[in-house]
Amino acid sequence: MENEQAWWDSLYTLATTKIPIGNWGRTFFDFLTTNFAWFFDSLASTIASALDAFTDGLLWFPPLALIALIAVLAYALQRSWKLALGTALGLLFILNQGLWEETVETVVLVVAAAVASMALGVPIGIWAAHHERAYTWLQPVLDLMQTLPTFVYLIPVLILFGLGVAPGVIVTVIFASPAPIRLTYLGIKSVPQPMLEAGEAFGATKRQLLWKVELPAALPTIMAGLTQCIMLCLSMVVIAALIGANGLGKPVVRALNSVNIPLGLEAGFAIVVLAIILDRMSRIRSGAVR
Amino acid sequence: MTTAVEFQKVDIIFGEAPQREQALAMADQGASREEILSATGAVLGCAGADLQVDEGEIAVLMGLSGSGKSTLLRAVNRLNIPSRGNVLVRDGDGMVDVATCDARALRRIRQKSVAMVFQQFALLPWRTVEENVGFGLELAGVGAAERKARVRDQLALVGLDQWADKYAHELSGGMQQRVGLARAFATQAPILLMDEPFSALDPLIRTKLQDELLELQARLKKTIIFVSHDLEEALKIGNKITIMEGGRIVQTGAPEEIVLNPASDYVRDFIANVNPLSVLTAWNVMRDHRDLEHGEDGWVWLDRRRTTRFKIDTDGLVVAAERDGRPAIWTSCDYEENLPRDAPRVYWAKPGTSLKTVMLAMHRSQTAPVALFDEQSRFVGAIGIRDVLKAVVRR
């Protein structure tokens, strides 16, 4: 009888007492803001000034000259006249829609976030591939980063970094870096065993094995990770705009707030055009590496 | 004869450390792979392997798939780590135990002493043929200029100099494996490990590459350990054949030794499908002249049916021949001379002449026995039709 009473009591406690996850989180972020504000502030201002300088540099070019340059770059990367022409036409369309400055800001944001994601993701992916047990721990973290609704970590990032482009980049990196991590891991993991053994049999050191066998063999998969990463970064443009990052997300947010269909469509099309151009340019050239 | 590679009581067990100990104990009691697997969960790769490979020799490891032949081979450059025992590999003037040496010594052995050719070629598809061949040299830190020169030499050796700038996938299977060979030769390692290098190729190409390998070997004099599941191949290229079953060595010997004296039913099954004509030689089937029937005046009957006899002088040379009572001429079975068509003739062979040639000579001489002469043309024995039949149907 007594036992049963105790059981009911504990069940009652469970039902009425909330586990204070939210409060723990707040305490943690309070701790961070009070003790490391200097760090986050300086990080934010460094990111912001670097990106601003980059944006100003690109905007210094006359738009038509920059479009020509990008078309040439597209040709250099993919050896395709069609892509170069399509790139030029797409960018001219954006220029025509009066969204040039926003587009350049977005490109800078996306490229910066993609570079940061790759710089984090590729080494982590390699490390995980070499430490199988670590990956079993890493996997749920990656799942969390990709599935936790963005707005949830928008709040603490906003508190730590304030408004502006820096938190935009940070949020984008959190969202996009799991892709290169996973694909690098997959690429390194699926290097055929005989190739690794050929490396070992001829006396490769661990480092030689990585640089001369594993990375070249995994390169197509890693490049697929880059393409995916760029697309994921682009998909964060609107959310980044919500916390004050400039770019094509801004007009979308403005259009949403003012129920402005034309503005929304214009900015939306510009994002799509940009997405297609970036996707085609970052793809691995067919036949370049087999 | 100096030893190039020596396996001393090598056991290889795949599994976690505690199970390995238990599996080793079971292997010592002679337990089979299946028994060890069900009792411990560890897989017996090979057990108690003792084998010595001399310099300049082609040693073939033979067996069905799962017999442990590749496992043993891969212990030579420690792609498989021996659980117990030593694998001594010649390194300059001394021997290094690959099973226990440190990482630096192992790397030196892999870069300079032991090269490997793989069944599936294991070329790097993003590298050109030239870059693939130079791979080992690159890992060993050989400079670009020297590398280029050495790679060119190797490509010429295997007849691929026109293909240096192609990628592996642009080449046929046979050519890809030539690249694999050139890559192994390029490091100038004296010891070559070949893990079923020709199994993935179609039969015609396989035969061709076997011939090329033998040709190269005659010039380069490497020590080759060759894994094969094809006894014809083993008999063709091996100086020494080691037959393995279930992770254990069941017989080691020269090719004709294996064919004439199989050690077990397993080996007998293996050679059941082998054409004895291509393995056996005249020497293996002849009756010694002391066992032949001697008449007066130095006449010796070559066959039991008394159709053919030779008159031998005191130096052991043949001075007269007679067949079915008529004088006969005697001639080598290696080449067809222009002889009078109607004259009875008797062919002679050398000890190394293949049984196939001997049988052809019998056919040409209407089943006359074939004599055997040594290098000084002395009569050493004879082969009658019954000797041939006995050797062929013995098994």
Side-chain angles (χ1 to χ4, degrees):
Chain A
M1 247 350 223
E2 257 176 46
N3 271 344
E4 199 177 323
Q5 186 61 43
W7 190 80
W8 279 112
D9 280 353
S10 59
L11 196 66
Y12 180 76
T13 319
L14 197 64
T16 53
T17 320
K18 192 166 134 187
I19 304 172
I21 285 183
N23 279 332
W24 291 342
R26 186 178 62 196
T27 315
F28 174 66
F29 284 109
D30 281 349
F31 168 78
L32 284 185
T33 33
T34 45
N35 293 291
F36 295 101
W38 55 272
F39 170 75
F40 292 108
D41 287 348
S42 58
L43 185 62
S45 60
T46 312
I47 294 175
S49 52
L51 293 194
D52 284 347
F54 197 20
T55 312
D56 290 345
L58 287 180
L59 286 176
W60 173 85
F61 285 95
L64 286 176
L66 192 55
I67 289 174
L69 268 178
I70 294 174
V72 168
L73 179 67
Y75 178 77
L77 285 174
Q78 303 287 340
R79 305 265 158 221
S80 155
W81 284 112
K82 277 189 200 161
L83 179 68
L85 187 68
T87 303
L89 286 178
L91 292 177
L92 284 173
F93 165 77
I94 289 174
L95 185 64
N96 168 267
Q97 296 297 304
L99 292 167
W100 183 247
E101 197 176 325
E102 286 86 344
T103 303
V104 169
E105 286 161 355
T106 293
V107 167
V108 168
L109 175 71
V110 165
V111 168
V115 166
S117 297
M118 291 301 282
L120 277 175
V122 173
I124 292 178
I126 292 170
W127 176 75
H130 289 161
H131 300 82
E132 194 49 41
R133 198 158 294 164
Y135 189 69
T136 57
W137 288 98
L138 188 62
Q139 206 161 12
V141 177
L142 297 181
D143 291 339
L144 186 84
M145 285 162 79
Q146 286 193 304
T147 51
L148 191 71
T150 321
F151 288 97
V152 174
Y153 52 81
L154 221 49
I155 311 161
V157 168
L158 209 52
I159 293 172
L160 292 177
F161 294 95
L163 283 169
V165 72
V169 171
I170 304 273
V171 172
T172 308
V173 169
I174 293 175
F175 181 67
S177 57
I181 294 178
R182 279 186 214 274
L183 280 159
T184 304
Y185 167 84
L186 181 72
I188 299 277
K189 266 284 167 197
S190 45
V191 176
Q193 192 64 23
M195 284 188 200
L196 294 174
E197 286 183 349
E200 285 178 32
F202 285 98
T205 59
K206 282 227 155 59
R207 176 184 298 236
Q208 284 175 323
L209 207 58
L210 176 66
W211 286 101
K212 291 185 191 288
V213 179
E214 291 180 301
L215 281 178
L219 190 65
T221 319
I222 295 174
M223 291 304 283
L226 171 67
T227 308
Q228 240 189 56
C229 176
I230 291 178
M231 291 303 106
L232 290 172
C233 290
L234 202 57
S235 72
M236 288 293 283
V237 162
V238 175
I239 288 171
L242 276 181
I243 51 174
N246 289 324
L248 286 169
K250 273 270 165 74
V252 174
V253 173
R254 219 181 313 131
L256 183 66
N257 288 337
S258 55
V259 202
N260 184 340
I261 293 178
L263 181 62
L265 278 179
E266 287 160 17
F269 274 128
I271 291 177
V272 170
V273 168
L274 196 59
I276 293 173
I277 291 173
L278 287 175
D279 176 60
R280 297 296 187 274
M281 278 172 66
S282 67
R283 271 189 197 177
I284 194 151
R285 201 195 321 162
S286 59
V289 175
R290 298 277 291 253
Chain B
M1 224 18 123
T2 34
T3 307
V5 178
E6 187 172 358
F7 299 91
Q8 294 176 333
K9 301 231 168 307
V10 174
D11 301 285
I12 299 176
I13 311 273
F14 300 105
E16 300 294 321
Q19 286 94 323
R20 249 193 344 246
E21 288 305 315
Q22 203 186 340
L24 280 174
M26 284 185 75
D28 288 342
Q29 317 263 306
S32 75
R33 174 179 294 158
E34 289 70 29
E35 289 163 356
I36 292 176
L37 179 64
S38 62
T40 67
V43 175
L44 176 73
C46 71
D50 271 315
L51 181 66
Q52 192 177 322
V53 180
D54 292 330
E55 252 173 20
E57 181 173 58
I58 304 187
V60 180
L61 300 177
M62 277 247 18
L64 301 175
S65 51
S67 60
K69 51 193 193 304
S70 287
T71 309
L72 189 59
L73 177 85
R74 293 155 52 92
V76 178
N77 59 358
R78 205 154 91 187
L79 286 184
N80 287 343
I81 302 166
S83 311
R84 201 174 52 183
N86 306 313
V87 182
L88 304 180
V89 173
R90 177 153 297 275
D91 177 34
D93 292 328
M95 301 291 273
V96 170
D97 183 7
V98 176
T100 54
C101 68
D102 61 15
R104 259 184 65 209
L106 178 65
R107 212 159 47 237
R108 191 182 65 236
I109 294 260
R110 284 170 165 182
Q111 287 176 352
K112 307 246 188 279
S113 301
V114 179
M116 191 163 185
V117 181
F118 295 83
Q119 180 177 7
Q120 297 297 339
F121 321 139
L123 301 177
L124 305 179
W126 57 89
R127 287 170 169 250
T128 62
V129 166
E130 185 178 351
E131 290 163 346
N132 263 298
V133 174
F135 181 59
L137 299 175
E138 194 181 316
L139 294 180
V142 175
E146 191 191 340
R147 204 162 68 216
K148 204 170 172 72
R150 275 163 76 172
V151 166
R152 290 279 160 188
D153 289 348
Q154 299 310 319
L155 284 175
L157 197 67
V158 298
L160 283 178
D161 19 9
Q162 303 298 311
W163 298 78
D165 298 326
K166 299 275 190 251
Y167 287 90
H169 64 88
E170 298 174 89
L171 272 58
S172 68
M175 288 167 127
Q176 289 189 35
Q177 193 57 300
R178 283 204 191 98
V179 177
L181 267 175
R183 177 174 67 181
F185 285 143
T187 64
Q188 290 171 350
I191 299 168
L192 210 59
L193 308 180
M194 305 186 80
D195 191 357
E196 302 208 26
F198 306 141
S199 307
L201 305 171
D202 62 67
L204 275 176
I205 304 291
R206 191 185 312 156
T207 314
K208 191 148 179 279
L209 280 182
Q210 288 164 356
D211 294 340
E212 284 180 20
L213 177 66
L214 289 175
E215 230 168 82
L216 288 172
Q217 169 67 358
R219 270 191 281 163
L220 301 174
K221 304 262 190 297
K222 305 258 180 192
T223 304
I224 301 180
I225 307 183
F226 192 106
V227 164
S228 176
H229 62 256
D230 175 6
L231 190 57
E232 295 270 2
E233 180 174 71
L235 294 170
K236 177 175 174 182
I237 65 172
N239 308 119
K240 179 196 269 176
I241 296 179
T242 299
I243 300 201
M244 297 187 72
E245 180 192 12
R248 292 182 167 88
I249 292 177
V250 288
Q251 188 174 7
T252 298
E256 61 271 16
E257 249 173 84
I258 304 263
V259 173
L260 288 172
N261 303 309
S264 70
D265 285 341
Y266 176 79
V267 182
R268 217 162 282 133
D269 282 349
F270 245 119
I271 61 176
N273 298 318
V274 166
N275 182 356
L277 299 188
S278 52
V279 183
L280 298 180
T281 60
W283 179 261
N284 297 133
V285 297
M286 70 149 195
R287 284 195 297 154
D288 192 276
H289 77 281
R290 279 163 305 202
D291 299 336
L292 300 172
E293 203 181 324
H294 291 256
E296 65 269 20
D297 294 344
W299 285 96
V300 180
W301 288 107
L302 266 60
D303 52 349
R304 296 174 181 85
R305 292 176 294 158
R306 297 188 173 197
T307 62
T308 309
R309 59 177 184 168
F310 277 177
K311 187 175 175 143
I312 315 281
D313 68 7
T314 48
D315 293 331
L317 300 174
V318 176
V319 290
E322 209 173 70
R323 176 141 186 238
D324 297 324
R326 292 165 58 198
I329 45 178
W330 60 99
T331 173
S332 166
C333 64
D334 282 333
Y335 31 82
E336 182 69 14
E337 290 168 46
N338 273 333
L339 297 169
R341 280 230 156 238
D342 49 342
R345 70 188 90 161
V346 181
Y347 287 102
W348 57 266
K350 291 203 190 107
T353 306
S354 78
L355 191 53
K356 197 171 167 183
T357 311
V358 169
M359 286 177 79
L360 195 67
M362 282 184 173
H363 172 70
R364 286 203 307 236
S365 63
Q366 280 84 41
T367 73
V370 171
L372 212 66
F373 290 179
D374 67 8
E375 293 300 328
Q376 283 78 44
S377 296
R378 283 179 307 216
F379 179 72
V380 288
I383 305 162
I385 244 185
R386 271 169 63 186
D387 303 315
V388 171
L389 291 180
K390 212 167 72 192
V392 173
V393 299
R394 163 146 43 192
R395 295 152 300 112

